[in-house]
Every structure is written in structure tokens, then in C-alpha cells.
Amino acid sequence: MSRRGHVAILLAIALLLAPTLTVQGAGANQLEIFSWWTAGGEADGLNALFQIYRRKYPGVEIINATVAGGAGTNAKAVLKTRMQGGNPPDSFQVHGGAELIDTWVKTGFMEPITAIAREEGWQRVMPRDLVQIVSYQGEMYSVPVNVHRGNVLWYNKKLFDDNGLRAPTTWEQFFQVAQTLRSKGITPLALGDKNKWEAAHLFEDVLLASLGANGYRGLWTGQTPWTGEGVRRALETMARILSFANTDHAALVWDQAVQLLIDGKAAMNVMGDWAAGYFTSKGWKPNVHYGFAPAPGTAGTFVVVTDTFGLPKRAPHRQNAINWLRVAGSKEGQEAFNPLKGSICARTDCDMSKFDAYLQSSARDFSRNALVPSEVHGSAAPETFATEFNDIVNVFVTRRDVAAAQRALQQACVRAKMCR
Amino acid sequence: MSRARDRLPAVLVLVPSVVAVGVFVYGFIGWTAYVSLSGWTTFIPDLSFVGRRNYVELFQTFRFQADLRNTVVFTLTFLAACLVLGFLLAVLLDQRVRGEALFRNVFLFPMSISFIVTGVVWQWLLNPSTGINLLLEHVGLGVLRSPWYTEPRIAIFSVVLAATWQLSGFTMAMYLAGLRGIPEELLEAARVDGASEWALYRYVVVPLLAPITLSAVIVLGHISLKIFDLVFAMTGSGPAFSTDVPGVFMFETTFRGNRFAEGAAIAIVMLLLVAVLIVPYLWSTTRQEART
């Protein structure tokens, strides 16, 4: 055989072996944290947690594995590939509730952390409803690091004061306020639903207003029928609300809608309280530039969106990951993380003087209100249902066909095995 | 003797790529087809056989019906626009204009940009309240304002516009090469026979360019049938799925919804759509090659 032939064969063999040779040594003292916190305050908050970790556990190299993009949808796709490929990070960000339990716990990818929770005394300082959201069959599977509120109405204070308006507490009042604003040539409601979930988020709050906390909870257990009166009323209200939104809503995403308030082009917006983080980043102050109230008809209830960290089975650096969970659940960690992220502590013993007026009011409501899980943000229903829910609302926004939407919701509910 | 000695290394060198293609292309096509017939609808792999159920459900959903309509409309208008525009540009450039190289590069340039970038740029350009509409207003042409991709009935054409901008330069380059390849004597002969310029193009040039048109249709057609990144970056699904395509639906079903079986079914339908276009072409070329 010619010399060239030998070289070619060696090269071919080398190419075949290359992937196995580049696998990293798992022995290094590292900690890989996977999240979708890449922007502004959320990245700052994550770094604050990292700093505390470095101080307590020097010598551990932290690998910050983040994937950018809309509410974590891209990151989740990457994470799923890694988990199925048997290459989990040491710990990853996951919404408490169905996203954690249905996607990861029931499928056997997670390790319970009840023992760590007991050592750290988390059950004593976190509300029972919240611990419930991250538990399955009596075991706790992740540690909540923050709480966001999903049902908030934001408004431009100046536009409201100039026109002698007050924040509506019911959707009927909302329509009166909206009429007044429209007659003055102001767009009443800012909406940006290019990513679909934003309109679904609004509808979730309308559902809650129409059904009340218990009726709303029943939607995810099959006790409240999707074909019933309450859902029909919610859809009809939703159709009316949409007639007061900006016409270019399909071209915008949620923060561009919030920007319409800042620019004075629209007066109200319904969004989770990450909007407050956006206001802050633009120099707007609560009760000075912007006002806030529970979304109409939802006073006394608190739609919980919680970010948590769990412990995947076969985490490459298990001990480091456990130490990370301790930091994420600690008072010190949460007090450092949350003011930057624009959310409140999952613990009830945080020093609230470190938080602004909006977050203080949110924390007050959190300790008193009925807590209900958010569907759009992964806590109430399996992801199978969540994507279909978004699709159905997206079609409804254009067609406003109540009967068709109710039929589709019922079918999706059956398909996700939430109802029969 | 020496032929046999050459053959061994040749075979050994080829084997890895044959194995790789066999596993990573055909193996995975087979695997996807198998998953599409299974009941894998959560994150736990469930490979129990359910027959054609996923396909039946798929074709019944509103969203997939919209996807198929959009794909047909998109492919037809995008192909027509690219071919006509590319041909016209090539004819114009073929008049030996000054600075031809510059024009050629200007028209070809968009092709070097990724679809993601094109999508982001055009999503801004066609944004109803900024971009082109704002420009029209400023120059006093406010009547030409359009809602572009926020109006469900015309939204898909906004995406066609962006895709055409990106790829008509490619058809131009192909047609230009084709035009340059037509022997001058042929055209002269036609002119001597008294053919008008119109007849010249109609009966001589266009038929001679048929193989090029076919290649362009194959290349552009399979791009448009599988398109994902442009739509994903530019409009997403659009209002009421007016710009949704199977690629986007497949991504969301599989990686957001965890419905792996249904996602695989969408992927197989996409493969079949492309096959409808490619297989006759491959068949005719292999037959031609066998003949020569």
C-alpha cells in the first residue's frame, strides 16, 4: 500500500475517534449553572449569587451556562437535549409547578432535596403553598429563589392624573376608563403578542377574574369545565379588551408594549412584575411615573411565577451543586438576588427595606393573598397544554370566535390528560 | 495488479463517510419515521406503536392546515418572484452595462447574509409603526402605509418579500451565467431570420435557459419548503398563524410542547414535500446520465 494510503487511513481513524478524545475531564472542581438569565437585572442578580458562592466555596470554578431568548423557550430546548443525552448541568433554572414536576420529576430526572431543605429550615420560612408547588409525593425537588407576580395592571401615572382617572378594579371599570382614554385619543391598552404567550398571559388573568381563585385552580384539575359559563364569559371579556389594544400588537413583544407606556403612547398594560424591572431600568419610579394594581377582578389573589433550582440525577459535581442550592435558598442569597432581578424573596424573612415600593407592596400581598399558579409560565399545567393554550389564544385574538376557542381548549385539556 | 492495490485505500477512505451518511442521514430519517408512528407525547420516550394516529390528528389541526396553505402560497409566490426578478436583472446586466461587477455584487450580496439577520432587519423595516411606514409618512406618501405582517390576509407576503430580497440575486447570477453561455451565432441566426427582440427571448433564449430554471426551482423550492429561520426571526407564527410554516410548528411541538411523536410526523411530512420536488429531478438526471 502506498504511503499516501496510510496517511489517509490514519486521518480517517483520527476523525472517527476525535469526538471521544475531546470529552472533558469530569474531575475538575467546577459548578455549571444553566439558566436563561442573560439580560440586565436578571444577569446582575445571578452574578450576585455567584459572588456569594465564590466567597463561601473558594476554589470552585463556576461555569455560567446561559441561553438567551424569549422567556426561556430556547434555553429549555437546549436543556432537554442535554438531559436526554445524559449530560445534565449541575443545577438548572426551572419554573416551579408543572414544568418541574411533569417534565423532570415524574420522568425520573431529578433527585429529591428534602433532606437539604430540612437542614436549612426552608419549610419554616417559605409559604406552604409555595413549597407545595415544588413538591411531589411528599418530597421537595427544587428550591424557589424568587417569586414574581403574574396578575398586575400597570399604568402611566401622568396620563391617569391628567384625565382624573383611577386604576380600575373590575373589567367593567376598565372598559369605562378605556372609553374615556380613547375619547382623548390615547390608546387605552398596550399589548405586544408577537411571541404568543403575552396574549395568553392577559387571558390567564381574565380567566382568573371570571372564575375566582378556586374556579381557576379547577381548570388544571378537570373540576372547572372549559366548555362552561365562566370560560365563555372570560373569552367574551377578552374580545372586548382586545378592541382597546394598539393595532400593531402582533408586531411587538412584551417589553416593547411596556415601552409604549413610557413613551406616553398608551395608558395601561397587563403583565407580570418583570415589567417593574423594565420600568426601573428606564429610570421610572413606582407611584411617581407608573402606578400598579392587581389586574382587574383579581384583587386578593396572587398569580405565582417562581424560578427555582433543582438537583439533576447524575449531576457531574453533586456536592458543589448541593452547596449552590444552599446559597440559592439562603436569606443572604435571596436578599442579594431579588432586588436586582426585580422580584420578591421566596422566603418571608427577607429585609424588605432593600426593596422598592412596588416590591414591598407585592410582598405584602404575597403573604396575605390566595396563591394560584400561572399556566402560561409553566406552573399550573403540563407544557403540552401550555403550547396549545398559547396557540388557541393566538387564533382567538384575530378571529374572536368564542365557541371555537372553547371547543379547542376542551380538546387540548383532554389531550393533555387534565380532563376526560 | 496496481488497480487492485489502489482500490483498498480508496474503499477504506470512503467507508467512514458512507457509514456517517448511513447513520446520520438515512438512519435518523428512519428513526424519525418510527417515532412519528409512536405514542411519544411526553418527555418520557414511549415507543409504543400507534399507527397513523399522529398524522390523522395533525391534518385535523387548524394550525397545520394553515401551515400547508402558507407553504403552498409562500413557495409559489417566492419562486415566481425570484425567477422573474432574477431573470429581468440578468437580462439588464447582460446589456454590458458599465460597472457590471459592482451591480452583480450588490444583487448577490444579500445571499451572504444569514436568514436570521434578514428576518430581524425586515421585521423592523416592515414594522407597522416604524420602518418603511414611517418613511412613507415623512415624504408625504402616508396613503401607501400598510399593516404588513400584522394583517393576517397579507402577512405571508411580507415574508415572501424578505425571502425574495435575499435570494433573487442567486437566480440572477445563474441566469446571467446561462445568458453568457448562449452562443452568439444562434442569436445572430434568429435576428437574420427576422425575429423581433421579444420573439428572440420568447422562442430562443427562455427555452435555452430551461435547465437553469429547473435548477433554480429545485434549489429555491427546497429552501422554501423547509424554511424556518427567516420566519422564526421575522414574524414568528404571525396573527392567527398567518405566517406559520411546518418548520416553526415542528420546533414548537417538539421542543416546547414535548410532543415528540407529533413533531416527528411534521418532519416526515416536510421530508415528503421536499421529496415530491426532488425525486422526479433526481430520477430524470440519473436517466440522462445513464443514456450518455
Side-chain angles (χ1 to χ4, degrees), chain A residues 51-93:
Chain A
Q51 264 169 26
I52 296 173
Y53 189 91
R54 283 199 193 95
R55 206 180 58 236
K56 288 193 166 166
Y57 309 98
V60 178
E61 184 197 346
I62 298 175
I63 302 169
N64 183 9
T66 54
V67 178
T73 46
N74 300 340
K76 285 180 205 168
V78 174
L79 181 66
K80 282 169 190 170
T81 332
R82 285 189 57 173
M83 294 288 275
Q84 273 187 335
N87 176 26
D90 292 311
S91 182
F92 61 88
Q93 174 197 0

Coordinates of all heavy atoms in Angstrom, one line a residue, chain A residues 51-93:
Chain A
Q51 N -21.2 35.5 43.4 CA -20.2 36.1 44.3 C -20.3 35.5 45.6 O -19.2 35.2 46.2 CB -20.5 37.6 44.3 CG -19.6 38.4 43.4 CD -20.0 39.8 43.3 OE1 -20.6 40.4 44.2 NE2 -19.8 40.5 42.1
I52 N -21.5 35.4 46.1 CA -21.7 34.8 47.5 C -21.1 33.3 47.5 O -20.4 32.9 48.4 CB -23.1 34.7 47.9 CG1 -23.6 36.2 48.0 CG2 -23.3 34.0 49.2 CD1 -25.1 36.3 48.3
Y53 N -21.4 32.6 46.4 CA -20.9 31.2 46.3 C -19.4 31.2 46.3 O -18.7 30.4 47.0 CB -21.4 30.6 45.0 CG -21.2 29.1 44.9 CD1 -22.1 28.2 45.4 CD2 -20.0 28.6 44.4 CE1 -21.8 26.8 45.4 CE2 -19.7 27.3 44.3 CZ -20.6 26.4 44.8 OH -20.4 25.0 44.8
R54 N -18.8 32.1 45.5 CA -17.3 32.1 45.4 C -16.7 32.4 46.8 O -15.6 31.9 47.1 CB -16.8 33.2 44.4 CG -17.0 32.7 43.0 CD -16.2 33.6 42.0 NE -16.6 33.3 40.7 CZ -17.5 34.1 40.0 NH1 -18.0 35.2 40.6 NH2 -17.9 33.8 38.8
R55 N -17.3 33.3 47.5 CA -16.7 33.6 48.8 C -16.8 32.4 49.8 O -15.9 32.1 50.5 CB -17.5 34.8 49.4 CG -16.7 35.7 50.4 CD -17.5 36.8 50.9 NE -18.7 36.4 51.6 CZ -19.9 36.8 51.3 NH1 -20.1 37.7 50.3 NH2 -20.9 36.4 52.0
K56 N -17.9 31.7 49.7 CA -18.1 30.6 50.7 C -17.4 29.4 50.2 O -16.9 28.6 51.1 CB -19.6 30.3 50.8 CG -20.4 31.3 51.5 CD -21.8 30.7 51.9 CE -22.4 31.6 52.9 NZ -23.9 31.3 53.0
Y57 N -17.3 29.1 48.9 CA -16.6 27.9 48.4 C -15.5 28.3 47.4 O -15.7 28.1 46.2 CB -17.6 27.0 47.8 CG -18.8 26.7 48.7 CD1 -20.0 27.4 48.5 CD2 -18.7 25.8 49.7 CE1 -21.1 27.2 49.3 CE2 -19.8 25.6 50.5 CZ -21.0 26.3 50.4 OH -22.1 26.1 51.2
P58 N -14.4 28.9 47.9 CA -13.4 29.3 47.0 C -12.8 28.1 46.4 O -12.8 27.0 46.9 CB -12.4 30.1 47.9 CG -12.7 29.6 49.3 CD -14.1 29.2 49.3
G59 N -12.2 28.3 45.2 CA -11.6 27.1 44.5 C -12.5 26.4 43.5 O -12.1 25.5 42.8
V60 N -13.8 26.7 43.6 CA -14.7 26.1 42.6 C -14.9 27.0 41.4 O -15.2 28.2 41.6 CB -16.1 25.8 43.3 CG1 -17.1 25.2 42.2 CG2 -16.0 24.9 44.5
E61 N -14.7 26.5 40.2 CA -14.8 27.3 39.0 C -16.3 27.2 38.6 O -16.8 26.2 38.4 CB -13.9 26.7 37.9 CG -13.9 27.5 36.7 CD -13.4 26.8 35.5 OE1 -12.8 25.7 35.7 OE2 -13.6 27.2 34.3
I62 N -16.9 28.4 38.5 CA -18.3 28.5 38.1 C -18.4 28.6 36.6 O -17.8 29.5 36.0 CB -19.0 29.6 38.8 CG1 -19.0 29.4 40.3 CG2 -20.5 29.7 38.3 CD1 -19.6 30.6 41.1
I63 N -19.2 27.7 36.0 CA -19.5 27.9 34.6 C -20.9 28.4 34.4 O -21.8 27.7 34.8 CB -19.3 26.5 33.8 CG1 -17.9 26.0 34.1 CG2 -19.6 26.6 32.4 CD1 -17.7 24.5 33.7
N64 N -21.0 29.6 33.9 CA -22.3 30.2 33.7 C -22.9 29.8 32.3 O -22.6 30.5 31.4 CB -22.2 31.7 33.9 CG -23.5 32.4 33.8 OD1 -24.6 31.8 33.8 ND2 -23.5 33.7 33.8
A65 N -23.7 28.8 32.3 CA -24.2 28.3 31.0 C -25.6 29.0 30.8 O -26.6 28.5 31.3 CB -24.4 26.8 31.0
T66 N -25.6 30.1 30.1 CA -26.9 30.7 29.8 C -27.3 30.6 28.3 O -26.4 30.6 27.5 CB -26.9 32.2 30.2 OG1 -25.8 32.8 29.5 CG2 -26.8 32.4 31.7
V67 N -28.6 30.6 28.0 CA -29.0 30.6 26.6 C -30.1 31.7 26.6 O -31.1 31.6 27.3 CB -29.7 29.2 26.2 CG1 -30.2 29.3 24.8 CG2 -28.6 28.1 26.4
A68 N -29.9 32.7 25.7 CA -30.8 33.8 25.6 C -32.0 33.5 24.9 O -32.1 32.5 24.2 CB -30.0 35.0 24.9
G69 N -33.0 34.3 25.1 CA -34.2 34.2 24.2 C -35.5 34.0 25.0 O -35.6 33.3 25.9
G70 N -36.5 34.7 24.5 CA -37.9 34.8 25.0 C -38.3 33.9 26.1 O -38.7 32.7 25.8
A71 N -38.4 34.3 27.3 CA -38.9 33.6 28.4 C -38.4 32.2 28.6 O -39.0 31.3 29.0 CB -40.5 33.6 28.4
G72 N -37.2 32.0 28.1 CA -36.5 30.7 28.3 C -36.9 29.6 27.3 O -36.4 28.5 27.5
T73 N -37.6 29.9 26.3 CA -38.1 28.8 25.4 C -36.9 28.2 24.6 O -36.8 27.0 24.4 CB -39.1 29.3 24.4 OG1 -38.6 30.6 23.8 CG2 -40.4 29.5 25.0
N74 N -35.9 29.0 24.3 CA -34.7 28.5 23.6 C -33.9 27.7 24.6 O -33.4 26.6 24.2 CB -33.9 29.6 23.0 CG -34.6 30.4 22.0 OD1 -35.6 29.9 21.4 ND2 -34.1 31.6 21.7
A75 N -33.7 28.2 25.8 CA -32.9 27.5 26.8 C -33.5 26.2 27.1 O -32.8 25.2 27.2 CB -32.8 28.4 28.0
K76 N -34.8 26.1 27.2 CA -35.5 24.9 27.5 C -35.2 23.8 26.5 O -35.1 22.6 26.8 CB -37.0 25.1 27.7 CG -37.3 25.8 29.0 CD -38.8 25.9 29.1 CE -39.2 27.1 30.0 NZ -40.6 27.5 29.9
A77 N -35.2 24.2 25.2 CA -34.9 23.3 24.1 C -33.5 22.7 24.3 O -33.3 21.5 24.1 CB -35.1 24.0 22.8
V78 N -32.6 23.6 24.6 CA -31.2 23.1 24.7 C -31.1 22.2 25.9 O -30.5 21.1 25.9 CB -30.2 24.3 24.9 CG1 -28.8 23.8 25.3 CG2 -30.2 25.2 23.7
L79 N -31.7 22.6 27.0 CA -31.7 21.7 28.3 C -32.2 20.3 28.0 O -31.6 19.3 28.5 CB -32.5 22.5 29.4 CG -32.5 21.7 30.7 CD1 -31.1 21.7 31.3 CD2 -33.4 22.4 31.7
K80 N -33.4 20.3 27.3 CA -34.0 19.0 27.0 C -33.0 18.1 26.3 O -33.0 16.9 26.6 CB -35.3 19.2 26.3 CG -36.4 19.6 27.2 CD -37.6 20.0 26.4 CE -38.6 20.7 27.3 NZ -39.7 21.4 26.6
T81 N -32.3 18.6 25.3 CA -31.4 17.8 24.5 C -30.3 17.3 25.4 O -29.9 16.1 25.4 CB -30.8 18.7 23.4 OG1 -31.7 19.7 23.0 CG2 -30.4 17.8 22.2
R82 N -29.8 18.2 26.3 CA -28.7 17.8 27.2 C -29.1 16.7 28.2 O -28.4 15.7 28.4 CB -28.2 19.0 28.0 CG -27.3 19.9 27.1 CD -26.6 21.0 27.9 NE -25.8 20.4 29.0 CZ -25.0 21.1 29.7 NH1 -24.9 22.4 29.6 NH2 -24.3 20.5 30.7
M83 N -30.3 16.9 28.8 CA -30.8 15.9 29.8 C -31.0 14.6 29.1 O -30.7 13.5 29.7 CB -32.1 16.5 30.4 CG -31.9 17.7 31.2 SD -31.0 17.5 32.8 CE -32.3 17.0 33.9
Q84 N -31.7 14.6 27.9 CA -31.9 13.3 27.3 C -30.6 12.6 26.8 O -30.5 11.4 26.8 CB -32.9 13.5 26.1 CG -34.3 13.4 26.5 CD -35.3 13.4 25.4 OE1 -35.0 13.9 24.3 NE2 -36.5 12.9 25.6
G85 N -29.6 13.5 26.6 CA -28.3 12.9 26.1 C -27.5 12.5 27.3 O -26.3 12.1 27.1
G86 N -28.0 12.5 28.5 CA -27.2 12.1 29.7 C -26.1 13.1 30.1 O -25.1 12.7 30.6
N87 N -26.3 14.4 29.8 CA -25.2 15.3 30.0 C -25.8 16.5 30.8 O -25.8 17.6 30.3 CB -24.6 15.8 28.7 CG -23.6 16.9 28.8 OD1 -23.0 17.0 29.8 ND2 -23.5 17.7 27.8
P88 N -26.3 16.3 32.0 CA -27.0 17.3 32.7 C -26.0 18.4 33.3 O -24.9 18.0 33.5 CB -27.7 16.6 33.9 CG -26.9 15.4 34.1 CD -26.3 15.0 32.8
P89 N -26.5 19.7 33.4 CA -25.7 20.6 34.2 C -25.8 20.3 35.7 O -26.6 19.4 36.0 CB -26.4 21.9 33.9 CG -27.8 21.6 33.5 CD -27.7 20.2 32.9
D90 N -25.0 21.0 36.5 CA -25.0 20.6 37.9 C -26.3 21.1 38.5 O -26.8 20.5 39.5 CB -23.8 21.3 38.6 CG -22.5 20.6 38.2 OD1 -22.5 19.4 38.2 OD2 -21.6 21.3 37.8
S91 N -26.9 22.2 38.0 CA -28.2 22.7 38.5 C -28.7 23.6 37.4 O -28.0 24.2 36.7 CB -28.1 23.4 39.8 OG -29.3 23.8 40.3
F92 N -30.1 23.6 37.3 CA -30.6 24.5 36.3 C -31.9 25.2 36.8 O -32.6 24.7 37.7 CB -30.9 23.7 35.0 CG -31.9 22.6 35.2 CD1 -33.3 22.8 35.0 CD2 -31.5 21.3 35.4 CE1 -34.2 21.8 35.1 CE2 -32.4 20.2 35.6 CZ -33.7 20.5 35.4
Q93 N -32.1 26.3 36.1 CA -33.3 27.1 36.5 C -34.5 26.5 35.9 O -34.6 26.0 34.7 CB -33.1 28.5 35.8 CG -34.3 29.4 35.9 CD -34.2 30.6 34.9 OE1 -33.2 30.6 34.1 NE2 -35.2 31.4 34.9

